[in-house]
């Protein structure tokens, strides 16, 4: 049997891959159009498609139908990964980015130096105003006011080891934020309960909350999913979306997921 030249095989593979990808792309495009309609956004063409795909990585697609043109508070902003993605899909939003780690906050400021839509506050949030010790990890996304639990490196092979401890200022959400909030995003690595406890007024004036929920303990003394869920329900919010479960590579059990809670009276579609 004659063999096709390698060039022809490569072309055939590419055609096959394109045919297999078309249904998934069509589904994504349909989801993008619904997302744009539900949030009053203009997402079209390859750029809009790529921006929407990136937004899903950060749970932004979990938000219920609502305008994304108000104040967004990004607590645990890191280097602006979430904020930058949100502003690409919702260019009329305004972001207050909160990041406690000094070097990371510096990179965040540099990234958005000429973007008037985003302002940076270098502080940690908690239940009270004061000072705290921030455990800075090899990968700064794991930095926390709480120490990582023993064995966490077994779930995340790289980045969870504590490299340094620095003293940082702490304040409360209620002391920091004024005015209504469209979206409150929390990624504070085990300090969610303290942030929410110190933000009762802001929480009452927030349309939607995007929060990273741990199903197993990542940090010493962190609040459980059940406790945080009940706290948000008691504040009048409702669970409206749950992202893809991130599972342990060793046990297969769920580790965490992005969750979205919303105030029914502040989001029309939930009334």
């Amino acid at each position: 049997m004659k063999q096709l030249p390698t060039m022809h095989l490569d072309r055939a593979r590419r055609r096959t891959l394109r045919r297999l990808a078309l249904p998934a792309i069509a589904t994504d495009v349909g989801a993008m159009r619904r997302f744009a309609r539900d949030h009053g956004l203009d997402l079209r063409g390859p750029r809009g498609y790529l921006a929407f795909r990136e937004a899903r990585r950060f749970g932004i697609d979990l938000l219920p139908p609502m305008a994304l043109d108000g104040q967004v508070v990004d607590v645990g902003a890191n280097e602006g990964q979430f904020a930058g993605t949100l502003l690409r899909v919702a260019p009329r939003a305004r972001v207050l980015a909160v990041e406690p780690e000094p070097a990371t906050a510096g990179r965040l400021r540099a990234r958005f130096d000429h973007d008037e839509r985003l302002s940076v506050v270098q502080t940690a949030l908690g239940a009270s105003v004061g000072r705290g010790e921030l455990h800075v990890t090899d990968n700064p996304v794991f930095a926390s006011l709480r120490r990582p639990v023993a064995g966490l490196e077994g779930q995340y092979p790289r980045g969870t080891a504590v490299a340094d401890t620095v003293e940082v200022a702490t304040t409360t959400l209620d002391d920091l934020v004024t005015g209504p909030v469209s979206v409150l995003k929390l990624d504070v690595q085990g300090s969610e309960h303290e942030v929410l406890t110190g933000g009762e007024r802001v929480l009452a004036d927030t349309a939607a909350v995007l929060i990273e929920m741990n199903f197993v303990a990542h940090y010493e003394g962190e609040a459980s999913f059940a406790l945080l869920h009940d706290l948000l329900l008691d504040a009048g919010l409702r669970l409206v979306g749950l992202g893809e479960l991130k599972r342990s590579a060793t046990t297969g059990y769920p580790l965490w997921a992005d969750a979205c809670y919303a105030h029914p009276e502040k989001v029309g579609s939930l009334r």
Side-chain angles (χ1 to χ4, degrees):
M1 180 181 293
K2 292 182 179 179
Q3 291 186 346
L4 290 174
T6 302
M7 179 178 65
H8 291 166
L9 285 173
D10 289 342
R11 288 175 179 171
R13 286 195 194 100
R14 287 197 295 270
R15 285 196 297 269
T16 300
L17 289 173
R18 283 196 294 269
R19 285 197 296 271
L20 291 174
L22 284 175
I25 292 173
T27 300
D28 283 351
V29 169
M32 177 190 75
R33 289 172 176 165
R34 288 191 296 274
F35 177 80
R37 179 198 63 209
D38 289 345
H39 300 285
L41 305 174
D42 184 14
L43 295 176
R44 289 178 289 183
R47 286 188 178 181
Y49 175 72
L50 292 175
F52 171 70
R53 288 283 298 267
E54 187 70 7
R56 290 201 302 195
R57 287 186 56 230
F58 294 96
I60 297 170
D61 64 313
L62 300 176
L63 292 167
M66 56 184 289
L68 292 179
D69 55 3
Q71 179 176 211
V72 175
V73 181
D74 182 359
V75 184
N78 200 258
E79 296 180 11
Q81 297 93 324
F82 170 87
T85 299
L86 178 84
L87 290 173
R88 277 194 290 276
V89 296
R92 296 190 300 275
R94 305 182 314 280
V95 179
L96 175 63
V98 185
E99 172 55 44
E101 204 281 310
T104 305
R107 292 190 292 271
L108 176 64
R109 285 195 182 95
R111 177 178 177 181
F112 292 94
D113 185 42
H114 301 294
D115 194 334
E116 295 181 352
R117 299 172 299 173
L118 183 141
S119 57
V120 178
V121 177
Q122 183 185 319
T123 189
L125 291 187
S128 61
V129 177
R131 309 290 295 180
E133 283 193 342
L134 183 72
H135 302 287
V136 182
T137 46
D138 290 336
N139 184 340
V141 302
F142 291 104
S144 174
L145 291 174
R146 297 183 178 276
R147 182 172 290 277
V149 298
L152 188 63
E153 66 277 4
Q155 306 295 347
Y156 302 94
R158 292 181 295 177
T160 62
V162 176
D164 195 10
T165 302
V166 297
E167 186 177 355
V168 295
T170 64
T171 189
T172 69
L173 195 60
D174 280 350
D175 284 326
L176 180 67
V177 177
T178 58
V181 175
S182 293
V183 179
L184 170 63
K185 171 259 186 181
L186 290 181
D187 186 0
V188 289
Q189 305 302 316
S191 296
E192 294 82 5
H193 189 271
E194 289 80 5
V195 174
L196 293 171
T197 300
E200 291 184 1
R201 176 187 54 78
V202 170
L203 200 57
D205 205 15
T206 295
V209 176
L210 284 174
I211 183 171
E212 191 175 283
M213 289 289 207
N214 292 337
F215 303 118
V216 298
H218 285 53
Y219 299 90
E220 295 176 356
E222 71 174 272
S224 67
F225 164 76
L227 182 59
L228 293 174
H229 177 72
D230 286 346
L231 188 157
L232 289 162
L233 293 184
D234 289 343
L237 291 103
R238 180 185 305 174
L239 179 64
V240 297
L242 192 65
E244 178 185 358
L245 295 177
K246 306 303 188 293
R247 296 181 178 274
S248 167
T250 55
T251 67
Y253 295 154
L255 292 174
W256 63 274
D258 291 318
C260 182
Y261 291 77
H263 272 294
E265 69 274 12
K266 296 182 184 299
V267 182
S269 66
L270 299 180
R271 290 174 184 165

